[in-house]
Every structure is written in structure tokens, then in C-alpha cells.
Amino acid sequence: MSETAKLELDGKVIDLPVITGSENEKAIDIRKLRAETGYITLDSGFGNTGSCKSGITFLNGEKGILRYRGYPIEQLAEGSRFMEVAYLLIHGNLPKENELNFFEEKLTSFATLPEGITNILDQFPADAHPMGVISSVISSLSAFYPEFLKSDLTEVDKDRAIAQLLAQTKIITAYFYRKSRGLAPHRSHPSLGFAKDFLNMMFFEEGKEVDDEVAKALDVLLILHADHEQNCSASTVRVIGSSHANIFATISGGIDALWGQLHGGANQAVLEMLEQIKQAGGDYKQFIEKAKDKNDSFKLMGFGHRVYKNFDPRAKIIKKACDTILDKLGVDDPLLDIAKGLEQEALNDEYFKERNLYPNVDFYSGIIYKALGIPTNMFTTMFVLGRLPGWLAQWKEMREDPDARIARPRQVYVGESTRNFVSLKDR
Ligand code: ACO
């Protein structure tokens, strides 16, 4: 007999089906709750709400496990390339060589931006925040690829739209960086590989070549950011996509959700915090005290996570990569020492221990981006490049799920009861 949970309401007992995931995690299926009882559930921030069944990413926050399509993140970071991981997330399996070639060829066919898009990019002020620019330009792509606007895209069009976004988001990002610095844009050479092509477009100088190890380091960072199941931006993508909005509107919304400093924007906020600590003479203890003070809105950026309550496996890999890359580039960044000191202090502090607050993926990534020459206000756009395959995979899975419905949560209304209208002159 299938497992059920019993709920007693108004003296009546109802059985709710229990759903078991492939890693034995349990959920109570409340889909019929309101229809049968009139009750809804209240779960602000959706901390206990499963919004879908998904076969893309598994994470166990207590044990610090993260797997894409079953493969441990540590193994993927060690042995694969970002494009293989993108294929894996989107199509479900690691690609064979010919499948990967075909996938990359599709991206290559989108290696040039429509002229209308470069015209739009040219109009932004040089000091515009790159996240706002990228989000608007991704939305603007809808005007140039009308064939991808249909709500029921064919398999072929879906694959092409995905390839187009993967190829062009990195070009848009690098194009705006160069334009905002008065540099001529440099064209994409996809045969260099995703990370190297991006760095080449960003920092191209005659006679200079992007170092393979540096490109590899960026590739690993992109892999670590590629998906993270139903986080804020992925859920935004699913919510927007659930209305059958087009893929550009959907991804643009994901970018906007990522921008916030409680989510992907934390990588920029971490670096700004470390700079602030440096300005204050390196006294990180004072910042720990501020973070613990409930009358102060300051939080230790790059610390804490809704799901990880032990450690973030991505942070472990990134911390190691940080040492290697700074060493390789011969960069001696005092911010790295401040970050390590801050981490150590926080990990030994009762406040952080009691609340299971650990460094997350954003704590060390900014120091690496800075060493690579990426400006602070572009850190979150780097996250966009990494997370794009995850969003696309989540969108695809949702649109192909026969059980998917438009996202439409309920609420508990706590406002005024009926009042009679009073005209303006009598108020
Ligand atoms: N500094 C100080 N205290 C913190 C921090 C922090 N960074 N994070 C959580 N806390 C405290 C909270 O104040 C709360 O304390 P209380 O129990 O005394 O009220 C307790 O720890 C639990 O925290 P919540 O806010 O309930 O945790 P939630 O799951 O809602 O938020 C979040 C998670 C947003 C990541 C939070 O930890 C945070 O703001 N961290 C800093 C921003 C950050 O690094 N974001 C990136 C996350 S990773 C990503 O999105 C890519």
C-alpha cells in the first residue's frame, strides 16, 4: 500500500499521499488539500514547498552533496568542460563526442549578434550596471528571433533557441564590457572553447593570448555555478515560463532574480565588503560583531544558505581554486587573507555555529574574478554565464512536463474586510 500522511482538520482525518524521490527524500502531496478541506498551506519563502518534480540536480544540504544528473560536482569540476556540463543538464546525459560537436556547432551558428542588438547595446551609458543591460538585451532578442516566440516550439527550434542564448549571452556580456571602456568589440571565436572565447572577447589585445590554465579556471567556475535546483532565479524562470512566456522573457526574468544581493549579487557584495574591511584596517572582527547585531541590517555576505547547513561543496572547490589561480597569476591580494581570516573567525563563532552558517559559492569567487581582471560590477554577470544552462534545463524540463501548470500560489488575506466606498469629497 502506498504511504500516506494523516492530517486531522475540523475533526476529520484526511490521507495525503507521500511522494518519495530517487534519493529517498519525502514530500507530502497537498495538491488536493484545498479542494477537499478548504485549507491551504502557508510557507513564506517556500522553505518547505516542493514546486515540482525534477530530474536535473540533486542536493543534500545536511551532507553537502551536489550532483548534476547524478554526477557529483567534484567529478564534473575535475574531469569535464563547461559545454559538456551544459549538454548534460539540458539533455540529461553526458554527450558522446559527435553529440558534443553537434551541440557546439549549433552555438557557433549564433556567433554574431544581430546588428539591431549591437545598436541597442551601444545606447547604454558606459556606467550602466551590466546586469540591467544584459537582462534588457536578452529580452530585446525577442524582437530579432520571432521564430522562437511561439509557445509550442518544435524540438528543433527549442534546441536552436537554447544554443542561441548560450552563444549570445557571453557575446553580449563581453561586447558591453569593451564598449563601456571605449574599446572596439572583438568577435567571438567559438572554436577556442566557451571560457577562452569569452576571455578573449573581453581582454583581446594584439599579440596576447589567453592562458589555457586561466581559461580552465574560469571553465571550472562556470561548471560550479551551472545549476542549483529550485533556487530563487530558477524558480523565477519556472514561474515565468509556466505562463508560456517566450524563452527570452523567461531567461531575462531569471537574470533579474539573480541580481539581488541575497542571491547571485552576493559575489559583488562580498568583494565590496572585503574592500570595506580593508579600508577599516583589516579588522574583520568588528564586521562579525555587526553581522551578529540584530539592530544592524548588515549581514556577512557570502555566508549562509537556505539549503546547505553543513558546508557548500562548491565553496570548498572554489577556495582551493582561488589559491591556485592567484599563485599562477602571481597575484598577492590582501583581500584573500582578509577573506580567510573572516571565514576562520566566523566558523569559530557561536552565532555562526548555532545557525549553521558557512561560506557559500560566492564567498571566494569574487577574488578569482578580480584576479582574472573582471570588474566588480560584472561578477554577477559571470554567474549568469554559468547558470544559463541550468535555467534552460529547468525551463525545458518544465515545458515538457505534462503535469506542469501555471504557477499561481495562494495567500492568506489579512487586510480590511468589506468597506463601503466614500467619495473623494467626503473623505
Ligand atoms: N550573516 C549574519 N547572519 C545571518 C546570515 C549572514 N550572512 N545569514 C543568515 N543569518 C542569520 C539570520 O539572521 C537568522 O538569524 P535568527 O535565527 O537569529 O533570526 C538565521 O541566520 C537564519 O537565516 P535566514 O535569513 O532565516 O536564512 P534564509 O535561508 O532565509 O536566507 C540567505 C539564506 C539569504 C542566503 C542568508 O543566509 C543571507 O542573507 N546570506 C548573505 C547573502 C548571501 O551570501 N547570499 C548568497 C547565497 S548563495 C546564492 O544564492 C548563490
Side-chain angles (χ1 to χ4, degrees):
M1 210 176 87
S2 45
E3 199 181 342
T4 56
K6 292 200 185 310
L7 179 68
E8 194 176 332
L9 279 173
D10 303 329
K12 193 173 133 203
V13 176
I14 57 160
D15 285 321
L16 296 166
V18 170
I19 310 279
T20 306
S22 52
E23 295 292 336
N24 210 28
E25 60 308 1
K26 302 275 187 182
I28 300 167
D29 181 348
I30 55 154
R31 278 176 287 185
K32 298 214 164 76
L33 183 66
R34 187 171 179 281
E36 286 186 7
T37 67
Y39 284 69
I40 60 163
T41 57
L42 180 63
D43 184 21
S44 67
F46 311 126
N48 299 288
T49 297
S51 62
C52 59
K53 290 186 198 166
S54 176
I56 302 171
T57 290
F58 172 73
L59 74 88
N60 179 320
E62 283 68 37
K63 295 187 181 153
I65 293 172
L66 172 61
R67 297 184 205 129
Y68 299 158
R69 301 282 189 186
Y71 296 100
I73 190 67
E74 294 80 3
Q75 291 180 19
L76 292 170
E78 178 74 31
S80 71
R81 288 199 288 126
F82 178 56
M83 275 298 99
E84 285 175 78
V85 168
Y87 183 101
L88 170 72
L89 288 168
I90 293 162
H91 295 294
N93 286 304
L94 282 169
K96 296 194 176 74
E97 203 164 341
N98 64 329
E99 290 168 328
L100 184 60
N101 289 342
F102 186 55
F103 183 68
E104 293 191 301
E105 274 164 27
K106 257 184 286 176
L107 265 73
T108 304
S109 69
F110 291 104
T112 313
L113 295 177
E115 202 184 326
I117 287 291
T118 56
N119 289 341
I120 292 172
L121 276 162
D122 292 344
Q123 300 311 311
F124 283 97
D127 62 354
H129 196 289
M131 284 295 280
V133 172
I134 293 169
S135 157
S136 346
V137 174
I138 295 297
S139 187
S140 307
L141 286 170
S142 58
F144 299 89
Y145 293 94
E147 67 271 33
F148 299 148
L149 299 190
K150 279 187 261 127
S151 94
D152 54 344
L153 288 178
T154 61
E155 274 309 301
V156 172
D157 275 346
K158 218 185 290 169
D159 284 354
R160 289 185 66 239
I162 286 172
Q164 187 246 324
L165 277 165
L166 285 172
Q168 294 191 344
T169 307
K170 81 171 186 294
I171 307 176
I172 290 165
T173 308
Y175 184 102
F176 180 65
Y177 167 79
R178 287 186 79 91
K179 277 305 267 193
S180 64
R181 276 157 181 75
L183 300 167
H186 188 67
R187 59 162 298 134
S188 171
H189 294 280
S191 60
L192 292 174
F194 193 95
K196 195 168 180 178
D197 182 31
F198 174 71
L199 291 172
N200 191 49
M201 281 192 283
M202 289 278 290
F203 304 120
F204 177 78
E205 265 182 58
E206 210 60 66
K208 277 198 179 172
E209 231 201 271
V210 176
D211 183 279
D212 281 333
E213 272 188 66
V214 170
K216 173 69 195 151
L218 177 59
D219 199 78
V220 171
L221 277 186
L222 296 172
I223 291 172
L224 296 177
H225 284 88
D227 194 48
H228 215 229
E229 50 117 305
Q230 306 314 316
N231 55 81
C232 178
S233 55
S235 298
T236 303
V237 161
R238 281 188 180 256
V239 168
I240 300 177
S242 77
S243 76
H244 295 193
N246 66 71
I247 190 167
F248 304 109
T250 303
I251 296 301
S252 171
I255 294 171
D256 292 331
L258 190 76
W259 194 355
Q261 66 166 10
L262 297 188
H263 191 16
N267 58 14
Q268 173 174 343
V270 169
L271 209 92
E272 287 164 355
M273 175 186 77
L274 295 174
E275 290 283 3
Q276 222 188 329
I277 298 175
K278 192 173 132 212
Q279 306 288 320
D283 178 12
Y284 43 76
K285 291 189 184 161
Q286 159 195 341
F287 284 81
I288 300 253
E289 291 312 312
K290 253 170 91 63
K292 287 156 54 174
D293 181 355
K294 293 291 175 200
N295 296 315
D296 192 326
S297 61
F298 174 80
K299 280 189 172 184
L300 209 54
M301 299 316 290
F303 253 76
H305 198 275
R306 170 63 59 80
V307 181
Y308 291 122
K309 298 297 172 200
N310 183 338
F311 66 93
D312 181 338
R314 304 166 301 172
K316 268 196 174 175
I317 303 173
I318 290 186
K319 186 178 177 188
K320 209 163 135 228
C322 201
D323 281 323
T324 316
I325 292 161
L326 267 61
D327 205 35
K328 156 86 194 156
L329 295 170
V331 174
D332 183 16
D333 190 343
L335 296 189
L336 180 58
D337 294 329
I338 293 176
K340 284 183 176 171
L342 187 65
E343 179 191 357
Q344 213 41 48
E345 190 72 21
L347 291 181
N348 288 318
D349 190 289
E350 275 314 309
Y351 174 97
F352 291 87
K353 283 207 264 188
E354 270 168 20
R355 291 168 178 77
N356 297 313
L357 301 170
Y358 295 85
N360 58 49
V361 67
D362 288 324
F363 194 67
Y364 284 102
S365 63
I367 298 175
I368 302 184
Y369 293 140
K370 183 171 171 239
L372 296 180
I374 299 190
T376 313
N377 71 353
M378 274 189 69
F379 289 0
T380 316
T381 65
M382 301 307 295
F383 200 149
V384 169
L385 296 182
R387 184 54 57 87
L388 196 51
W391 289 332
L392 293 166
Q394 299 283 348
W395 169 79
K396 185 171 185 293
E397 184 183 67
M398 186 214 28
R399 289 306 313 275
E400 291 170 0
D401 177 357
D403 287 341
R405 303 167 74 197
I406 187 166
R408 204 317 186 173
R410 297 236 172 209
Q411 64 167 12
V412 177
Y413 176 70
V414 293
E416 301 284 350
S417 284
T418 315
R419 298 196 268 185
N420 287 325
F421 176 76
V422 180
S423 67
L424 189 56
K425 68 176 173 30
D426 297 328
R427 267 174 244 160

